[in-house]
DNA sequence: GATCTATGTAGAT
DNA sequence: TCTACCTAGATCG
């Protein structure tokens, strides 16, 4: 369940639960076994997220880099530690907490230079204090590519995924297929500021909520929508359902292999 | 039990 | 633009 907010939330959680003490690291499944043995028993120095990438820093032995991909997950459990069930790529056991990582796209041990290289190819992350939104604008304002594709490009913006993309475009009335270069600079500033706001809420509550109070189904009388990703949203996975603002059926199409959702009335092209 | 789907990305074509 | 990959829960029959 991974957009940037999930990874930042995990970084915060892992720092709180494991940093400053030795961690038992293993790979019950075996695919990370050699690397796990190199950090097993080491003190976790820190954890941080950059976009959708998570880094566990063990000092000299190296940094564990995790990318969850589409369906990677970390559990969050307390002792007693139980036998692994299913495919557990990495298991971390601390004093008071333990976690199993399943289904990641990446789980590897890197050195500092390799971590820097990953960060260097990512655009600004709305959840990081050191983010420079102008770097994203430089790319967007010069591009013929649609804003919908640009927002998902991790080299342009880091951490935004399919849900935040659809929702932020809706909140600003932007047609998904608008070319980046046609986007108004002031509107871009608003979109960035909104991403910072929305994604911080996401880190805090652990789900993606984007609907303003006056548009919540409670207030409008429109049918509530419960999705397994758990958040309250305007358009994501609401194909054919009435727009929470104007009632128009939400549209859907496949764009570059990903599901795109928008309201044709609120986001006119 | 088989099939489908997903908040993602990299590499081949 | 396509395909492969990693996994589990939902849905289908």
């Amino acid at each position: 369940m991974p957009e940037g907010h999930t990874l930042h939330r995990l970084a915060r959680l892992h720092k709180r639960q494991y940093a400053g003490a030795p961690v038992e690291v293993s790979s019950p499944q075996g695919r990370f076994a050699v690397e796990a043995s190199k950090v097993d028993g080491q003190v976790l120095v820190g954890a941080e997220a950059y976009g959708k990438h998570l880094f566990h820093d063990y000092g000299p032995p190296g940094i564990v880099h995790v990318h969850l991909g589409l369906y990677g997950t970390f559990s969050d459990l307390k002792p007693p530690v139980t036998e692994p069930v299913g495919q557990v790529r990495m298991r971390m056991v601390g004093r008071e907490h333990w976690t199993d990582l399943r289904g990641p796209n990446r789980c590897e041990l890197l050195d500092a230079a390799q971590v820097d290289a990953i960060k260097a190819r990512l655009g600004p992350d709305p959840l990081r204090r050191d983010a420079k939104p102008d770097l994203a604008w430089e790319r967007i304002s010069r591009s013929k590519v649609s804003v919908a594709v640009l927002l998902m490009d991790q080299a342009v913006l880091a951490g935004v995924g399919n849900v935040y993309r659809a929702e932020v475009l809706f909140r600003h009335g932007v047609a998904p297929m608008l070319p980046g270069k046609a986007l108004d600079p002031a509107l871009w500033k608003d979109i960035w500021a909104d991403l910072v706001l929305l994604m911080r809420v996401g880190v805090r509550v652990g789900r993606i909520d984007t609907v303003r109070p006056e548009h919540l189904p409670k207030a409008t009388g429109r049918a509530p929508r419960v999705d397994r990703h758990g958040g309250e949203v305007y358009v994501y996975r609401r194909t054919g359902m009435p727009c929470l603002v104007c009632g128009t059926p939400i549209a859907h199409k496949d764009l570059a292999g990903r599901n795109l959702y928008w309201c044709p009335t609120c986001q006119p092209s």
Side-chain angles (χ1 to χ4, degrees), chain A residues 115-131:
Chain A
V115 170
D116 287 345
I118 289 171
K119 292 177 179 176
R121 60 177 164 79
L122 296 172
D125 174 352
L127 286 172
R128 289 184 64 102
R129 291 175 183 279
D130 59 6

Side-chain angles (χ1 to χ4, degrees), chain A residues 95-203:
Chain A
R95 286 198 188 118
E96 296 174 38
H97 301 273
W98 62 283
T99 179
D100 280 344
L101 168 64
R102 296 159 197 280
N105 192 324
R106 282 289 172 83
C107 176
E108 58 190 353
L109 186 64
L110 304 179
D111 62 31
Q114 292 171 305
V115 170
D116 287 345
I118 289 171
K119 292 177 179 176
R121 60 177 164 79
L122 296 172
D125 174 352
L127 286 172
R128 289 184 64 102
R129 291 175 183 279
D130 59 6
K132 297 185 176 70
D134 288 353
L135 293 179
W137 178 243
E138 279 174 27
R139 305 258 320 233
I140 293 167
S141 61
R142 279 190 281 114
S143 178
K144 284 186 277 192
V145 172
S146 64
V147 283
V149 167
L150 289 167
L151 287 182
M152 293 272 285
D153 183 341
Q154 300 299 298
V156 174
L157 272 183
V160 174
N162 210 6
V163 184
Y164 282 122
R165 157 176 85 171
E167 295 298 306
V168 82
L169 289 176
F170 176 88
R171 282 167 60 98
H172 295 270
V174 177
M177 300 314 290
L178 184 79
K181 56 176 16 176
L183 191 66
D184 181 78
L187 187 48
W188 158 252
K189 283 202 188 324
D190 289 348
I191 288 173
W192 173 269
D194 205 22
L195 284 171
V196 172
L197 192 84
L198 289 174
M199 293 176 76
R200 281 184 183 165
V201 172
V203 174

Side-chain angles (χ1 to χ4, degrees), chain A residues 2-268:
Chain A
E3 292 197 28
H5 70 298
T6 303
L7 283 300
H8 281 265
R9 193 175 163 82
L10 284 169
R12 200 173 62 177
L13 182 74
H14 292 166
K15 198 152 53 172
R16 198 186 309 141
Q17 295 184 336
Y18 302 100
V23 184
E24 288 174 35
V25 183
S26 60
S27 178
Q29 172 203 56
R31 290 184 49 180
F32 184 62
V34 174
E35 291 152 299
S37 70
K38 294 179 183 165
V39 292
D40 184 29
Q42 297 292 317
V43 172
L44 180 70
V45 178
E48 69 163 339
Y50 201 121
K52 297 170 189 168
H53 300 257
L54 176 65
F55 301 100
H56 287 165
D57 185 358
Y58 289 94
I63 299 149
V64 175
H65 167 227
V66 174
H67 192 294
L68 294 177
L70 260 182
Y71 21 73
T73 56
F74 278 97
S75 59
D76 177 16
L77 300 159
K78 291 194 169 189
V81 177
T82 55
E83 281 299 302
V85 175
Q87 299 293 308
V88 177
R89 184 76 62 88
M90 176 173 72
R91 169 169 285 193
M92 296 170 69
V93 180
R95 286 198 188 118
E96 296 174 38
H97 301 273
W98 62 283
T99 179
D100 280 344
L101 168 64
R102 296 159 197 280
N105 192 324
R106 282 289 172 83
C107 176
E108 58 190 353
L109 186 64
L110 304 179
D111 62 31
Q114 292 171 305
V115 170
D116 287 345
I118 289 171
K119 292 177 179 176
R121 60 177 164 79
L122 296 172
D125 174 352
L127 286 172
R128 289 184 64 102
R129 291 175 183 279
D130 59 6
K132 297 185 176 70
D134 288 353
L135 293 179
W137 178 243
E138 279 174 27
R139 305 258 320 233
I140 293 167
S141 61
R142 279 190 281 114
S143 178
K144 284 186 277 192
V145 172
S146 64
V147 283
V149 167
L150 289 167
L151 287 182
M152 293 272 285
D153 183 341
Q154 300 299 298
V156 174
L157 272 183
V160 174
N162 210 6
V163 184
Y164 282 122
R165 157 176 85 171
E167 295 298 306
V168 82
L169 289 176
F170 176 88
R171 282 167 60 98
H172 295 270
V174 177
M177 300 314 290
L178 184 79
K181 56 176 16 176
L183 191 66
D184 181 78
L187 187 48
W188 158 252
K189 283 202 188 324
D190 289 348
I191 288 173
W192 173 269
D194 205 22
L195 284 171
V196 172
L197 192 84
L198 289 174
M199 293 176 76
R200 281 184 183 165
V201 172
V203 174
R204 194 165 64 241
V205 304
R207 59 181 232 180
I208 300 178
D209 288 313
T210 61
V211 181
R212 298 184 173 91
E214 66 268 31
H215 296 142
L216 283 173
K218 261 186 295 230
T220 61
R222 299 190 199 285
R225 178 187 146 286
V226 180
D227 184 84
R228 76 169 169 288
H229 96 282
E232 199 67 68
V233 290
Y234 282 107
V235 294
Y236 178 71
R237 274 170 62 132
R238 291 194 69 246
T239 311
M241 299 172 76
C243 172
L244 298 178
V245 174
C246 76
T248 302
I250 297 305
H252 165 266
K253 75 167 178 173
D254 185 293
L255 178 66
R258 304 304 303 279
N259 292 311
L260 176 67
Y261 307 88
W262 78 102
C263 171
T265 301
C266 295
Q267 300 165 267

